[in-house]
Protein backbone atom coordinates (compact mmCIF):
# COMPACT_ATOMS: atom_id res chain seq x y z
CA UNK A 1 0.00 0.00 0.00
CA UNK A 2 1.16 3.50 -0.76
CA UNK A 3 2.55 5.76 1.95
CA UNK A 4 1.13 9.27 2.39
CA UNK A 5 3.85 11.84 1.77
CA UNK A 6 3.87 15.40 3.08
CA UNK A 7 3.88 18.32 0.65
CA UNK A 8 7.52 19.00 1.49
CA UNK A 9 8.46 15.37 0.92
CA UNK A 10 6.73 15.41 -2.45
CA UNK A 11 8.67 18.51 -3.51
CA UNK A 12 11.95 16.96 -2.41
CA UNK A 13 11.31 13.57 -4.00
CA UNK A 14 10.16 15.08 -7.30
CA UNK A 15 13.00 17.59 -7.64
CA UNK A 16 15.29 15.21 -9.59
CA UNK A 17 12.40 14.59 -11.98
CA UNK A 18 11.97 18.35 -12.33
CA UNK A 19 15.67 18.70 -13.14
CA UNK A 20 15.57 16.00 -15.84
CA UNK A 21 12.43 17.39 -17.42
CA UNK A 22 13.77 20.93 -17.28
CA UNK A 23 16.81 19.78 -19.27
CA UNK A 24 14.48 18.00 -21.69
CA UNK A 25 12.32 21.09 -22.04
CA UNK A 26 15.25 23.38 -22.73
CA UNK A 27 16.54 20.99 -25.40
CA UNK A 28 13.18 21.07 -27.21
CA UNK A 29 11.95 24.64 -26.68
CA UNK A 30 12.48 26.86 -29.71
CA UNK A 31 13.46 30.49 -29.38
CA UNK A 32 10.94 32.78 -31.04
CA UNK A 33 10.16 36.48 -31.11
CA UNK A 34 6.66 37.98 -30.75
CA UNK A 35 7.40 40.92 -33.05
CA UNK A 36 7.95 38.55 -35.99
CA UNK A 37 4.34 37.37 -35.85
CA UNK A 38 2.69 40.79 -35.89
CA UNK A 39 1.75 42.47 -39.23
CA UNK A 40 3.05 45.89 -38.19
CA UNK A 41 2.47 47.44 -41.61
CA UNK A 42 -1.29 47.16 -41.04
CA UNK A 43 -1.17 49.43 -37.99
CA UNK A 44 -2.35 53.01 -37.73
CA UNK A 45 -2.73 55.50 -34.92
CA UNK A 46 -5.81 55.41 -32.68
CA UNK A 47 -7.77 58.37 -31.41
CA UNK A 48 -6.59 59.98 -28.21
CA UNK A 49 -3.56 62.20 -27.49
CA UNK A 50 -2.09 61.40 -30.93
CA UNK A 51 -5.31 62.33 -32.77
CA UNK A 52 -5.63 59.14 -34.76
CA UNK A 53 -8.67 57.22 -35.93
CA UNK A 54 -11.17 55.73 -33.47
CA UNK A 55 -11.69 51.97 -33.47
CA UNK A 56 -14.67 50.60 -35.39
CA UNK A 57 -16.04 47.03 -35.55
CA UNK A 58 -15.62 47.26 -39.32
CA UNK A 59 -11.85 47.65 -38.94
CA UNK A 60 -11.47 43.85 -38.99
CA UNK A 61 -13.23 41.01 -40.79
CA UNK A 62 -12.54 38.52 -38.01
CA UNK A 63 -15.81 36.79 -36.97
CA UNK A 64 -17.37 37.95 -33.70
CA UNK A 65 -16.93 34.59 -31.97
CA UNK A 66 -13.24 34.57 -32.89
CA UNK A 67 -12.92 38.06 -31.36
CA UNK A 68 -14.57 36.73 -28.20
CA UNK A 69 -12.16 33.80 -28.05
CA UNK A 70 -9.16 36.05 -28.66
CA UNK A 71 -10.22 38.33 -25.80
CA UNK A 72 -10.73 35.38 -23.43
CA UNK A 73 -7.38 33.87 -24.43
CA UNK A 74 -5.54 37.15 -23.96
CA UNK A 75 -7.17 38.05 -20.65
CA UNK A 76 -6.30 34.58 -19.41
CA UNK A 77 -2.65 35.15 -20.35
CA UNK A 78 -2.75 38.59 -18.75
CA UNK A 79 -3.10 37.16 -15.25
CA UNK A 80 0.46 35.81 -15.42
CA UNK A 81 1.62 37.74 -12.30
CA UNK A 82 -0.97 35.89 -10.21
CA UNK A 83 -0.07 32.54 -11.78
CA UNK A 84 3.62 33.17 -11.08
CA UNK A 85 2.84 34.02 -7.48
CA UNK A 86 0.83 30.84 -7.05
CA UNK A 87 3.42 28.44 -8.43
CA UNK A 88 6.40 30.25 -6.92
CA UNK A 89 4.72 30.07 -3.51
CA UNK A 90 3.91 26.38 -3.91
CA UNK A 91 7.00 25.07 -5.71
CA UNK A 92 9.56 27.52 -4.32
CA UNK A 93 12.17 29.73 -5.98
CA UNK A 94 15.22 27.57 -5.35
CA UNK A 95 16.80 24.61 -7.14
CA UNK A 96 15.26 22.96 -10.17
CA UNK A 97 11.73 23.91 -9.09
CA UNK A 98 12.64 27.60 -8.95
CA UNK A 99 14.48 27.50 -12.28
CA UNK A 100 11.41 25.97 -13.89
CA UNK A 101 9.04 28.50 -12.30
CA UNK A 102 11.00 31.42 -13.76
CA UNK A 103 11.51 29.78 -17.16
CA UNK A 104 7.81 28.96 -17.44
CA UNK A 105 6.90 32.53 -16.49
CA UNK A 106 9.26 33.98 -19.08
CA UNK A 107 7.84 31.79 -21.84
CA UNK A 108 4.24 32.53 -20.88
CA UNK A 109 5.01 36.26 -20.85
CA UNK A 110 5.58 36.18 -24.60
CA UNK A 111 2.06 34.97 -25.24
CA UNK A 112 0.24 38.00 -23.88
CA UNK A 113 2.71 40.37 -25.56
CA UNK A 114 2.30 38.76 -28.96
CA UNK A 115 -1.48 38.42 -28.87
CA UNK A 116 -2.04 41.97 -27.64
CA UNK A 117 0.28 43.41 -30.30
CA UNK A 118 -1.56 41.46 -32.99
CA UNK A 119 -5.00 42.58 -31.77
CA UNK A 120 -3.94 46.22 -31.50
CA UNK A 121 -2.16 46.45 -34.84
CA UNK A 122 -4.91 44.69 -36.78
CA UNK A 123 -7.69 46.48 -34.86
CA UNK A 124 -9.35 43.12 -34.31
CA UNK A 125 -10.96 44.22 -31.03
CA UNK A 126 -11.93 47.44 -29.28
CA UNK A 127 -8.70 48.45 -27.47
CA UNK A 128 -10.52 50.56 -24.88
CA UNK A 129 -12.89 47.75 -23.92
CA UNK A 130 -9.97 45.32 -23.90
CA UNK A 131 -7.91 47.47 -21.54
CA UNK A 132 -10.84 47.98 -19.20
CA UNK A 133 -11.45 44.22 -19.16
CA UNK A 134 -7.75 43.64 -18.43
CA UNK A 135 -7.82 46.03 -15.49
CA UNK A 136 -10.93 44.40 -14.04
CA UNK A 137 -9.65 40.85 -14.51
CA UNK A 138 -6.16 41.47 -13.14
CA UNK A 139 -7.46 43.48 -10.20
CA UNK A 140 -9.43 40.40 -9.14
CA UNK A 141 -6.30 38.24 -9.33
CA UNK A 142 -6.22 34.48 -9.47
CA UNK A 143 -6.14 31.88 -6.71
CA UNK A 144 -5.42 28.21 -7.34
CA UNK A 145 -8.19 26.12 -5.79
CA UNK A 146 -5.52 23.68 -4.59
CA UNK A 147 -2.83 26.24 -3.81
CA UNK A 148 -1.24 24.22 -1.01
CA UNK A 149 -1.29 20.79 -2.65
CA UNK A 150 1.54 19.83 -5.01
CA UNK A 151 -0.10 16.90 -6.78
CA UNK A 152 -3.46 18.61 -7.23
CA UNK A 153 -1.67 21.58 -8.77
CA UNK A 154 0.38 19.36 -11.08
CA UNK A 155 -2.75 17.50 -12.18
CA UNK A 156 -4.53 20.78 -12.85
CA UNK A 157 -1.80 22.31 -14.99
CA UNK A 158 -1.34 19.06 -16.92
CA UNK A 159 -4.93 19.36 -18.13
CA UNK A 160 -5.03 23.16 -18.28
CA UNK A 161 -1.95 23.55 -20.48
CA UNK A 162 -3.38 21.08 -23.01
CA UNK A 163 -6.77 22.79 -22.90
CA UNK A 164 -5.09 26.13 -23.55
CA UNK A 165 -3.15 24.67 -26.46
CA UNK A 166 -6.33 23.43 -28.09
CA UNK A 167 -8.16 26.70 -27.44
CA UNK A 168 -5.37 28.75 -29.03
CA UNK A 169 -5.10 26.52 -32.09
CA UNK A 170 -8.84 26.48 -32.72
CA UNK A 171 -9.14 30.22 -32.12
CA UNK A 172 -6.47 30.86 -34.73
CA UNK A 173 -8.35 28.76 -37.26
CA UNK A 174 -11.65 30.49 -36.43
CA UNK A 175 -10.22 33.93 -37.26
CA UNK A 176 -9.70 33.06 -40.91
CA UNK A 177 -6.50 35.12 -40.77
CA UNK A 178 -3.31 33.19 -41.65
CA UNK A 179 -1.20 35.61 -39.59
CA UNK A 180 -3.29 35.05 -36.47
CA UNK A 181 -3.37 31.31 -37.04
CA UNK A 182 0.42 31.21 -37.33
CA UNK A 183 0.83 33.26 -34.16
CA UNK A 184 -1.53 31.14 -32.08
CA UNK A 185 0.00 27.94 -33.43
CA UNK A 186 3.35 29.19 -32.17
CA UNK A 187 1.84 29.99 -28.76
CA UNK A 188 0.16 26.58 -28.70
CA UNK A 189 3.52 24.87 -29.28
CA UNK A 190 4.80 26.43 -26.04
CA UNK A 191 1.71 25.29 -24.19
CA UNK A 192 2.18 21.74 -25.40
CA UNK A 193 5.73 21.59 -24.05
CA UNK A 194 4.48 22.96 -20.73
CA UNK A 195 1.80 20.27 -20.63
CA UNK A 196 4.35 17.51 -21.25
CA UNK A 197 6.57 18.86 -18.45
CA UNK A 198 3.78 18.79 -15.88
CA UNK A 199 2.36 15.52 -17.17
CA UNK A 200 5.74 13.85 -16.74
CA UNK A 201 6.01 15.10 -13.17
CA UNK A 202 2.66 13.62 -12.23
CA UNK A 203 3.57 10.37 -13.98
CA UNK A 204 6.52 10.16 -11.59
CA UNK A 205 4.18 10.96 -8.70
CA UNK A 206 2.03 7.97 -9.61
CA UNK A 207 5.08 5.78 -8.99
CA UNK A 208 6.00 7.64 -5.83
CA UNK A 209 2.58 8.04 -4.19
CA UNK A 210 -0.05 6.38 -6.39
CA UNK A 211 -3.03 6.88 -4.11
CA UNK A 212 -2.29 10.56 -3.52
CA UNK A 213 -1.81 11.09 -7.25
CA UNK A 214 -5.08 9.32 -8.06
CA UNK A 215 -6.96 11.39 -5.50
CA UNK A 216 -5.47 14.57 -6.96
CA UNK A 217 -6.48 13.66 -10.49
CA UNK A 218 -10.03 12.69 -9.49
CA UNK A 219 -10.53 15.90 -7.52
CA UNK A 220 -9.19 18.11 -10.32
CA UNK A 221 -11.30 16.45 -13.02
CA UNK A 222 -14.38 16.86 -10.84
CA UNK A 223 -13.98 20.61 -10.28
CA UNK A 224 -11.92 21.67 -13.31
CA UNK A 225 -12.31 25.24 -14.49
CA UNK A 226 -10.14 27.20 -16.89
CA UNK A 227 -8.00 29.93 -15.25
CA UNK A 228 -9.96 32.58 -17.15
CA UNK A 229 -13.22 31.70 -15.43
CA UNK A 230 -13.00 34.94 -13.45
CA UNK A 231 -13.25 37.05 -16.60
CA UNK A 232 -16.33 39.27 -16.62
CA UNK A 233 -19.04 37.50 -18.62
CA UNK A 234 -16.99 34.31 -18.85
CA UNK A 235 -20.01 31.98 -18.80
CA UNK A 236 -21.66 33.76 -21.73
CA UNK A 237 -18.40 33.92 -23.65
CA UNK A 238 -17.72 30.22 -22.99
CA UNK A 239 -21.09 29.25 -24.43
CA UNK A 240 -20.40 31.23 -27.62
CA UNK A 241 -16.96 29.63 -27.88
CA UNK A 242 -18.44 26.16 -27.37
CA UNK A 243 -21.20 26.71 -29.91
CA UNK A 244 -18.53 27.64 -32.46
CA UNK A 245 -16.62 24.43 -31.73
CA UNK A 246 -13.54 26.28 -30.51
CA UNK A 247 -13.59 24.62 -27.11
CA UNK A 248 -16.49 22.53 -25.82
CA UNK A 249 -17.22 19.66 -23.45
CA UNK A 250 -16.48 16.98 -26.03
CA UNK A 251 -13.07 18.44 -26.72
CA UNK A 252 -12.45 18.80 -22.99
CA UNK A 253 -13.22 15.15 -22.35
CA UNK A 254 -11.86 13.49 -25.49
CA UNK A 255 -8.94 15.75 -26.44
CA UNK A 256 -7.75 16.96 -23.04
CA UNK A 257 -8.68 14.57 -20.22
CA UNK A 258 -8.54 11.26 -22.05
CA UNK A 259 -5.11 11.62 -23.69
CA UNK A 260 -3.46 12.70 -20.44
CA UNK A 261 -5.18 9.97 -18.43
CA UNK A 262 -4.03 7.40 -20.99
CA UNK A 263 -0.46 8.59 -20.61
CA UNK A 264 -0.72 8.02 -16.86
CA UNK A 265 -2.50 4.68 -17.48
CA UNK A 266 -4.73 5.53 -14.52
CA UNK A 267 -7.01 2.53 -14.84
CA UNK A 268 -4.09 0.10 -14.52
CA UNK A 269 -2.21 1.79 -11.66
CA UNK A 270 -1.38 -0.66 -8.88
CA UNK A 271 -0.65 -0.22 -5.18
CA UNK A 272 -3.68 1.93 -4.39
CA UNK A 273 -5.14 2.15 -0.92
CA UNK A 274 -8.88 2.39 -0.26
CA UNK A 275 -9.03 6.11 -0.99
CA UNK A 276 -7.00 5.67 -4.17
CA UNK A 277 -9.42 3.01 -5.40
CA UNK A 278 -12.38 5.22 -4.49
CA UNK A 279 -10.79 8.11 -6.37
CA UNK A 280 -10.35 5.96 -9.47
CA UNK A 281 -13.99 4.91 -9.33
CA UNK A 282 -15.01 8.56 -9.01
CA UNK A 283 -12.82 9.42 -11.98
CA UNK A 284 -14.45 6.77 -14.15
CA UNK A 285 -17.91 7.99 -13.14
CA UNK A 286 -16.94 11.59 -13.88
CA UNK A 287 -15.74 10.66 -17.37
CA UNK A 288 -19.02 8.87 -18.03
CA UNK A 289 -20.99 11.91 -16.88
CA UNK A 290 -18.89 14.22 -19.06
CA UNK A 291 -19.58 11.94 -22.01
CA UNK A 292 -23.31 12.20 -21.43
CA UNK A 293 -23.15 15.96 -20.92
CA UNK A 294 -21.08 16.41 -24.07
CA UNK A 295 -23.60 14.39 -26.08
CA UNK A 296 -26.48 16.46 -24.75
CA UNK A 297 -24.67 19.66 -25.69
CA UNK A 298 -23.90 18.36 -29.19
CA UNK A 299 -27.55 17.49 -29.72
CA UNK A 300 -28.67 20.95 -28.61
CA UNK A 301 -26.03 22.61 -30.79
CA UNK A 302 -27.12 20.59 -33.83
CA UNK A 303 -30.79 21.47 -33.19
CA UNK A 304 -29.89 25.14 -32.85
CA UNK A 305 -27.94 25.05 -36.11
CA UNK A 306 -30.91 23.42 -37.84
CA UNK A 307 -33.26 26.13 -36.59
CA UNK A 308 -30.93 28.87 -37.75
CA UNK A 309 -30.62 27.25 -41.16
CA UNK A 310 -34.39 27.43 -41.62
CA UNK A 311 -34.54 31.16 -40.99
Amino acid sequence: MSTTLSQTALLVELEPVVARNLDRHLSLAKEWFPHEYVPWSEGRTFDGPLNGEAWSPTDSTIPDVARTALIVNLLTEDNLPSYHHEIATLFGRDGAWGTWVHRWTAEEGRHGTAIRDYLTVTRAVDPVALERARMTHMAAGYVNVHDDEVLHSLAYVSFQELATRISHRNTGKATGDPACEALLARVAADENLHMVFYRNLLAAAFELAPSQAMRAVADVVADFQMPGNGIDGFARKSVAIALAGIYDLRQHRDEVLQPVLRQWDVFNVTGLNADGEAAREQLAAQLDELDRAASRFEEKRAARAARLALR
Side-chain angles (χ1 to χ4, degrees), residues 265-286:
D265 199 18
V266 294
F267 294 109
N268 292 307
V269 170
T270 59
L272 297 177
N273 60 22
D275 184 63
E277 291 288 3
R280 180 155 56 188
E281 291 176 5
Q282 292 168 20
L283 180 59
Q286 182 69 18

Side-chain angles (χ1 to χ4, degrees), residues 40-120:
W40 299 100
S41 60
E42 295 182 19
R44 60 188 190 275
T45 305
F46 285 96
D47 59 331
L50 300 182
N51 298 315
E53 182 181 346
W55 180 82
S56 167
T58 60
D59 286 344
S60 172
T61 59
I62 287 178
D64 286 344
V65 70
R67 294 186 191 193
T68 297
L70 282 165
I71 291 169
V72 168
N73 289 359
L74 175 55
L75 293 179
T76 299
E77 300 284 358
D78 275 334
N79 242 353
L80 182 60
S82 282
Y83 309 149
H84 174 85
H85 172 78
E86 291 292 295
I87 66 171
T89 300
L90 179 61
F91 298 149
R93 298 166 62 96
D94 301 318
W97 282 108
T99 302
W100 166 254
V101 166
H102 293 301
R103 173 71 190 201
W104 175 87
T105 302
E107 291 185 3
E108 288 286 346
R110 290 185 299 212
H111 301 169
T113 297
I115 297 171
R116 174 169 283 98
D117 284 347
Y118 168 83
L119 295 181
T120 304

Side-chain angles (χ1 to χ4, degrees), residues 80-279:
L80 182 60
S82 282
Y83 309 149
H84 174 85
H85 172 78
E86 291 292 295
I87 66 171
T89 300
L90 179 61
F91 298 149
R93 298 166 62 96
D94 301 318
W97 282 108
T99 302
W100 166 254
V101 166
H102 293 301
R103 173 71 190 201
W104 175 87
T105 302
E107 291 185 3
E108 288 286 346
R110 290 185 299 212
H111 301 169
T113 297
I115 297 171
R116 174 169 283 98
D117 284 347
Y118 168 83
L119 295 181
T120 304
V121 167
T122 62
R123 292 178 168 247
V125 302
D126 180 350
V128 172
L130 180 64
E131 175 60 10
R132 287 172 176 164
R134 186 190 71 84
M135 290 292 292
T136 298
H137 185 50
M138 289 192 68
Y142 171 80
V143 177
N144 177 7
V145 175
H146 306 287
D147 61 357
D148 60 347
E149 297 169 323
V150 173
L151 300 190
H152 282 74
S153 296
L154 290 177
Y156 175 77
V157 289
S158 296
F159 296 127
Q160 177 265 319
E161 294 281 6
L162 182 51
T164 304
R165 185 198 86 179
I166 291 171
S167 178
H168 280 311
R169 285 300 301 266
N170 289 344
T171 297
K173 294 174 184 177
T175 65
D177 179 7
C180 188
E181 187 170 354
L183 166 60
L184 293 186
R186 180 57 263 178
V187 169
D190 279 359
E191 306 288 14
N192 193 63
L193 285 179
H194 298 163
M195 177 274 293
V196 172
F197 179 91
Y198 291 123
R199 188 189 68 192
N200 289 351
L201 292 194
L202 198 61
F206 266 109
E207 297 181 7
L208 183 67
S211 295
Q212 285 175 268
M214 191 68 72
R215 169 52 59 197
V217 170
D219 289 348
V220 167
V221 169
D223 64 13
F224 184 88
Q225 288 188 332
M226 291 292 275
N229 71 305
I231 293 170
D232 187 38
F234 182 77
R236 173 177 48 80
K237 292 179 172 66
S238 294
V239 170
I241 289 168
L243 287 172
I246 293 173
Y247 193 85
D248 58 26
L249 268 181
R250 177 61 63 195
Q251 289 159 319
H252 179 66
R253 181 191 183 277
D254 294 358
E255 298 178 30
V256 174
L257 299 182
Q258 289 280 43
V260 176
L261 294 174
R262 279 196 298 270
Q263 282 289 324
W264 293 329
D265 199 18
V266 294
F267 294 109
N268 292 307
V269 170
T270 59
L272 297 177
N273 60 22
D275 184 63
E277 291 288 3

